[in-house]
Amino acid sequence: MKGLILWLAGGSIISMILWCLLGILLGAGAYTVYYGEGLSYLSSDPKACVNCHIMREQYDEWQKASHHAAASCVDCHLPHDPLGKWIAKAENGFWHSKGFTLQDFHEPIRIHNKNATILQANCVRCHQDFVHQITTIKPSESNTVHCVHCHNHVGHGPSR
């Protein structure tokens, strides 16, 4: 038996220990993805947003909002170019995971400046026919009045 274990491990105890640590790391990673429903975040399904209990209020409000039939979470909160979308998903996923793991996020949750810029760009993109004459400045400029300053109920309903 000892000879078999040493043969499987490449002939040394150190390599066997490294294989065990790699197995534990892969197992813990796979369990974390399974437990956190990690694969659901690869979709555009708004139900993935409520995997985190903290997002339940926003999800419920979105269902009552005027944009419910026209736009989902990713339509408003992520860039529409494929590379930008996946970079934003990865970045937001990292910060969400860190926040929920360490419990160091602001309650109620707030949108970060970068995501507010993305949201503004998506408002303008979808409503370009109506707003092209009043959107002469770039959404990233700090003095921009964002659409949600006046229309804050369209995405997340009247209860806010």
Side-chain angles (χ1 to χ4, degrees), residues 111 116 119-120 123 145-156:
I111 193 166
L119 178 66
Q120 175 65 17
C123 290
V145 176
H146 289 190
C147 299
V148 294
H149 287 156
C150 298
H151 304 281
N152 60 352
H153 298 304
V154 296
H156 289 283

Side-chain angles (χ1 to χ4, degrees), residues 123-135:
C123 290
V124 171
R125 184 184 56 78
C126 285
H127 299 284
Q128 189 170 9
D129 292 342
F130 304 111
V131 299
H132 72 279
Q133 291 181 344
I134 59 173
T135 56

Side-chain angles (χ1 to χ4, degrees), residues 3-25:
L4 177 63
I5 292 172
L6 289 177
W7 179 78
L8 288 173
S12 76
I13 295 298
I14 292 174
S15 62
M16 188 169 86
I17 291 170
L18 290 176
W19 280 108
C20 288
L21 290 174
L22 180 63
I24 291 169
L25 184 65

Side-chain angles (χ1 to χ4, degrees), residues 25-91:
L25 184 65
L26 289 175
Y31 181 75
T32 301
V33 169
Y34 167 76
Y35 184 77
E37 301 181 51
L39 296 180
S40 70
Y41 296 106
L42 300 177
S43 76
S44 296
D45 186 354
K47 291 179 183 169
C49 297
V50 289
N51 286 347
C52 298
H53 300 288
I54 198 78
M55 297 297 285
R56 171 54 70 183
E57 181 183 341
Q58 287 74 21
Y59 180 78
D60 290 344
E61 290 172 355
W62 167 74
Q63 290 186 319
K64 296 182 242 172
S66 61
H67 278 51
H68 176 256
S72 67
C73 306
V74 298
D75 293 325
C76 297
H77 292 282
L78 291 177
H80 285 249
D81 66 287
L83 181 61
K85 174 184 173 181
W86 290 106
I87 289 172
K89 270 194 172 213
E91 187 176 355

